[in-house]
């Protein structure tokens, strides 16, 4: 299933995806280079800029967290030892802190639990993720910081009041699809996205 189909099925609006993109012959998780959940806003902006994406694109793309989950290990330090203070991240709402402490105990011998990144509508593509992060309910540090940092705060505020979030999210997804495109004899245009021809 294409990303746009998943977005549509999760309540988002349909957006056109450019066709003809070449895919590589190999797909390995070890080849993926995602930024850490603790990346600063300024470093995140630089990283996105290196891919020809603007800070607006970055904020809209982080809105994809509206349907994501994260393992406790990605944010446990925000609960129990933020920046080696021995305490929680002070930007987290008391409600979220209590929720995360319940779901992610300090010592867990069983497994690494998960928690939704959008605490209000975790299975819908909508702008509630942004509504929640301005209340201090950002699960990942970068999510919370885009609502507080002067470089992105106004963008987040605008998205909260934007009835056209879906269109701009789709536009950012299309731009993301143009990143590091394979050319010439590299890769292949697949007949089915799921398998190599």
């Amino acid at each position: 299933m294409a990303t746009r189909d998943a977005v549509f099925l999760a309540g988002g609006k349909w957006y056109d995806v450019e066709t003809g993109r070449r895919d590589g012959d190999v797909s390995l998780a070890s080849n993926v280079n995602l930024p850490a959940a603790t990346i600063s806003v300024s470093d995140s902006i630089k990283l996105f800029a290196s891919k020809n994406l603007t800070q607006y694109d970055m904020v809209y793309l982080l809105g994809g967290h509206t349907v994501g989950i994260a393992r406790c290990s990605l944010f446990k330090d925000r609960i129990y030892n933020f920046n080696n203070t021995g305490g929680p991240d002070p930007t987290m709402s008391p409600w979220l802190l209590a929720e995360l402490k319940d779901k992610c105990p300090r010592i867990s011998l069983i497994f690494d639990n998960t928690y939704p990144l959008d605490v209000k509508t975790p299975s819908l593509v909508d702008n509630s993720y942004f509504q929640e992060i301005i209340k201090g309910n950002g699960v990942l540090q970068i999510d919370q910081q885009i609502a507080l940092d002067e470089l992105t705060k106004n963008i987040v505020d605008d998205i909260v009041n934007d009835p056209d979030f879906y269109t701009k999210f789709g536009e950012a997804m299309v731009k993301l699809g143009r990143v590091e495109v394979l050319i010439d004899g590299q890769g292949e245009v697949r007949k089915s996205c799921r398998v190599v021809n």
Side-chain angles (χ1 to χ4, degrees), residues 24-67:
D25 300 328
V26 177
S27 180
L28 299 171
S30 59
N31 292 342
V32 176
N33 184 16
L34 293 175
T38 56
I39 191 171
S40 70
V41 171
S42 59
D43 285 346
S44 187
I45 289 171
K46 289 176 196 166
L47 178 69
F48 277 75
S50 75
K51 310 288 184 193
N52 291 319
L53 297 166
T54 68
Q55 65 195 52
Y56 291 90
D57 297 326
M58 178 194 84
V59 173
Y60 274 96
L61 290 168
L62 282 170
H65 288 173
T66 189
V67 290

Coordinates of all heavy atoms in Angstrom, one line a residue, residues 24-67:
G24 N 15.6 1.3 -5.2 CA 16.8 0.5 -5.2 C 16.5 -1.0 -5.3 O 15.4 -1.4 -5.1
D25 N 17.6 -1.8 -5.5 CA 17.4 -3.2 -5.6 C 17.4 -3.9 -4.2 O 17.0 -5.0 -4.1 CB 18.6 -3.8 -6.4 CG 18.6 -3.3 -7.9 OD1 17.5 -3.0 -8.4 OD2 19.7 -3.2 -8.4
V26 N 17.9 -3.1 -3.2 CA 18.0 -3.6 -1.9 C 17.4 -2.7 -0.9 O 17.5 -1.4 -1.1 CB 19.5 -3.8 -1.5 CG1 19.7 -4.3 -0.1 CG2 20.2 -4.8 -2.5
S27 N 16.6 -3.2 0.1 CA 16.0 -2.3 1.1 C 16.4 -2.9 2.5 O 16.0 -4.0 2.8 CB 14.5 -2.3 0.9 OG 13.9 -1.5 1.9
L28 N 17.3 -2.2 3.2 CA 17.7 -2.6 4.5 C 17.5 -1.5 5.5 O 17.8 -0.4 5.3 CB 19.2 -3.0 4.4 CG 19.7 -4.1 3.5 CD1 21.2 -4.1 3.4 CD2 19.1 -5.4 4.0
A29 N 17.1 -1.9 6.7 CA 16.9 -1.0 7.8 C 18.2 -0.3 8.1 O 18.2 0.9 8.5 CB 16.3 -1.7 9.0
S30 N 19.3 -1.0 8.0 CA 20.6 -0.4 8.3 C 21.0 0.7 7.3 O 21.9 1.5 7.6 CB 21.7 -1.5 8.3 OG 21.8 -2.1 7.0
N31 N 20.3 0.8 6.2 CA 20.6 1.9 5.2 C 19.8 3.1 5.5 O 20.0 4.1 4.8 CB 20.3 1.4 3.8 CG 21.3 0.4 3.4 OD1 22.4 0.2 3.9 ND2 21.0 -0.3 2.3
V32 N 18.9 3.1 6.5 CA 18.0 4.2 6.8 C 18.7 5.1 7.8 O 19.3 4.6 8.8 CB 16.7 3.7 7.4 CG1 15.8 4.9 7.8 CG2 16.0 2.9 6.3
N33 N 18.7 6.4 7.5 CA 19.4 7.4 8.4 C 18.4 8.4 8.9 O 18.2 9.5 8.4 CB 20.5 8.1 7.7 CG 21.3 9.0 8.6 OD1 21.2 8.9 9.8 ND2 22.1 9.9 8.0
L34 N 17.6 8.0 10.0 CA 16.6 8.9 10.5 C 17.3 9.7 11.7 O 18.1 9.2 12.4 CB 15.4 8.1 11.1 CG 14.6 7.4 10.1 CD1 13.5 6.5 10.7 CD2 13.9 8.4 9.1
P35 N 16.9 10.9 11.8 CA 17.4 11.7 13.0 C 16.9 11.2 14.3 O 15.8 10.6 14.4 CB 16.9 13.1 12.7 CG 15.7 13.0 11.8 CD 15.9 11.7 11.0
A36 N 17.7 11.4 15.3 CA 17.3 11.0 16.7 C 16.1 11.8 17.2 O 15.9 12.9 16.8 CB 18.5 11.2 17.6
A37 N 15.4 11.2 18.1 CA 14.2 11.9 18.6 C 14.6 13.1 19.5 O 13.8 13.9 19.8 CB 13.4 10.9 19.5
T38 N 15.9 13.1 19.8 CA 16.4 14.2 20.7 C 17.1 15.3 19.9 O 17.7 16.2 20.5 CB 17.4 13.7 21.7 OG1 18.5 13.0 21.0 CG2 16.8 12.7 22.7
I39 N 17.0 15.2 18.5 CA 17.7 16.2 17.7 C 17.1 17.6 18.0 O 15.9 17.8 18.3 CB 17.5 15.9 16.2 CG1 18.4 16.8 15.3 CG2 16.1 16.0 15.8 CD1 18.5 16.4 13.9
S40 N 17.9 18.6 18.0 CA 17.5 20.0 18.2 C 16.7 20.5 17.0 O 16.9 20.0 15.9 CB 18.6 20.9 18.5 OG 19.4 21.2 17.4
V41 N 15.9 21.5 17.2 CA 15.1 22.1 16.1 C 16.1 22.7 15.1 O 15.9 22.4 13.9 CB 14.1 23.1 16.6 CG1 13.5 23.9 15.5 CG2 13.0 22.5 17.5
S42 N 17.1 23.4 15.5 CA 18.0 24.0 14.6 C 18.8 22.9 13.8 O 18.9 23.1 12.5 CB 19.0 25.0 15.2 OG 19.7 24.3 16.2
D43 N 19.2 21.8 14.4 CA 19.9 20.8 13.7 C 18.9 20.0 12.8 O 19.3 19.6 11.7 CB 20.5 19.8 14.7 CG 21.8 20.3 15.3 OD1 22.3 21.3 14.8 OD2 22.2 19.7 16.3
S44 N 17.7 19.9 13.2 CA 16.7 19.3 12.3 C 16.4 20.1 11.1 O 16.3 19.6 10.0 CB 15.4 19.0 13.1 OG 14.5 18.3 12.3
I45 N 16.3 21.4 11.2 CA 16.1 22.3 10.1 C 17.3 22.2 9.1 O 17.1 22.1 7.9 CB 16.0 23.8 10.6 CG1 14.6 23.9 11.2 CG2 16.1 24.8 9.4 CD1 14.4 25.3 11.9
K46 N 18.5 22.1 9.7 CA 19.7 22.0 8.8 C 19.7 20.6 8.1 O 20.0 20.6 6.9 CB 21.0 22.0 9.7 CG 21.3 23.4 10.2 CD 22.6 23.4 11.1 CE 22.7 24.6 11.9 NZ 23.6 24.5 13.0
L47 N 19.3 19.6 8.8 CA 19.2 18.3 8.1 C 18.2 18.3 7.0 O 18.5 17.8 5.9 CB 18.8 17.2 9.2 CG 18.7 15.8 8.6 CD1 20.0 15.2 8.2 CD2 18.1 14.9 9.7
F48 N 17.0 18.8 7.2 CA 16.0 18.9 6.2 C 16.5 19.8 5.1 O 16.2 19.5 3.9 CB 14.7 19.4 6.8 CG 13.9 18.2 7.4 CD1 14.2 17.7 8.6 CD2 12.8 17.7 6.8 CE1 13.5 16.7 9.2 CE2 12.0 16.7 7.3 CZ 12.4 16.2 8.6
A49 N 17.1 20.9 5.4 CA 17.7 21.8 4.3 C 18.7 21.1 3.4 O 18.7 21.3 2.2 CB 18.3 23.0 5.0
S50 N 19.4 20.2 4.0 CA 20.4 19.4 3.2 C 19.7 18.5 2.2 O 20.3 18.0 1.3 CB 21.4 18.6 4.1 OG 20.7 17.4 4.7
K51 N 18.4 18.3 2.4 CA 17.6 17.5 1.5 C 16.7 18.3 0.6 O 15.7 17.9 0.0 CB 16.8 16.4 2.3 CG 17.5 15.6 3.3 CD 18.4 14.6 2.6 CE 19.0 13.7 3.7 NZ 20.1 12.9 3.2
N52 N 17.0 19.7 0.6 CA 16.2 20.6 -0.1 C 14.8 20.7 0.4 O 13.8 21.0 -0.3 CB 16.2 20.4 -1.6 CG 17.6 20.6 -2.2 OD1 18.2 21.6 -1.8 ND2 18.0 19.8 -3.1
L53 N 14.6 20.6 1.7 CA 13.3 20.7 2.3 C 13.3 21.9 3.3 O 14.3 22.1 4.0 CB 12.9 19.4 3.1 CG 12.7 18.2 2.2 CD1 12.7 16.9 3.1 CD2 11.5 18.3 1.4
T54 N 12.3 22.7 3.3 CA 12.3 23.9 4.2 C 11.9 23.5 5.6 O 11.4 22.4 5.9 CB 11.2 24.9 3.6 OG1 9.9 24.4 3.8 CG2 11.5 25.2 2.2
Q55 N 11.9 24.5 6.5 CA 11.5 24.3 7.9 C 10.0 24.1 7.9 O 9.5 23.4 8.8 CB 11.9 25.4 8.8 CG 11.3 26.8 8.5 CD 12.1 27.9 9.3 OE1 13.3 28.0 9.2 NE2 11.4 28.7 10.0
Y56 N 9.2 24.7 7.0 CA 7.8 24.4 6.9 C 7.6 23.0 6.5 O 6.7 22.3 7.1 CB 7.2 25.4 5.8 CG 7.1 26.8 6.3 CD1 8.2 27.7 6.0 CD2 6.1 27.3 7.0 CE1 8.2 29.0 6.4 CE2 6.1 28.6 7.4 CZ 7.1 29.5 7.1 OH 7.1 30.8 7.5
D57 N 8.3 22.5 5.5 CA 8.2 21.1 5.1 C 8.5 20.2 6.3 O 7.8 19.2 6.6 CB 9.2 20.7 4.0 CG 8.9 21.5 2.7 OD1 7.8 21.7 2.4 OD2 9.9 21.8 2.0
M58 N 9.5 20.5 7.1 CA 9.9 19.7 8.2 C 8.8 19.6 9.2 O 8.5 18.5 9.7 CB 11.2 20.3 8.9 CG 11.6 19.6 10.1 SD 12.8 20.5 11.1 CE 11.7 21.6 12.1
V59 N 8.2 20.7 9.6 CA 7.1 20.8 10.6 C 5.9 20.0 10.1 O 5.4 19.1 10.8 CB 6.7 22.2 11.0 CG1 5.5 22.2 11.9 CG2 7.9 22.9 11.7
Y60 N 5.6 20.2 8.8 CA 4.4 19.4 8.3 C 4.7 17.9 8.2 O 3.9 17.1 8.5 CB 4.0 19.9 6.9 CG 3.1 21.1 6.9 CD1 3.5 22.4 6.8 CD2 1.7 20.9 7.1 CE1 2.6 23.4 6.9 CE2 0.8 21.9 7.2 CZ 1.3 23.2 7.1 OH 0.4 24.2 7.2
L61 N 6.0 17.6 7.8 CA 6.3 16.1 7.8 C 6.4 15.5 9.2 O 6.0 14.4 9.4 CB 7.7 15.9 7.1 CG 7.6 16.2 5.6 CD1 9.0 16.3 5.0 CD2 6.8 15.2 4.9
L62 N 6.8 16.3 10.2 CA 6.7 15.8 11.6 C 5.2 15.5 12.0 O 4.9 14.7 12.8 CB 7.4 16.7 12.6 CG 8.9 16.6 12.6 CD1 9.5 17.7 13.4 CD2 9.4 15.2 13.1
G63 N 4.3 16.2 11.3 CA 2.9 16.0 11.5 C 2.5 14.6 11.1 O 1.4 14.1 11.5
G64 N 3.3 13.9 10.4 CA 3.1 12.4 10.1 C 3.1 11.6 11.4 O 2.6 10.5 11.4
H65 N 3.6 12.2 12.5 CA 3.6 11.5 13.8 C 2.2 11.4 14.3 O 1.9 10.7 15.3 CB 4.5 12.2 14.8 CG 5.9 12.0 14.5 ND1 6.9 12.7 15.3 CD2 6.6 11.3 13.6 CE1 8.1 12.4 14.8 NE2 7.9 11.5 13.8
T66 N 1.2 12.0 13.6 CA -0.2 11.9 14.0 C -0.7 10.4 14.0 O -1.7 10.1 14.7 CB -1.1 12.8 13.1 OG1 -2.4 12.8 13.7 CG2 -1.2 12.3 11.7
V67 N 0.0 9.5 13.3 CA -0.4 8.1 13.3 C 0.7 7.2 13.7 O 0.7 6.0 13.3 CB -1.0 7.7 11.9 CG1 -2.3 8.3 11.6 CG2 0.0 8.0 10.8

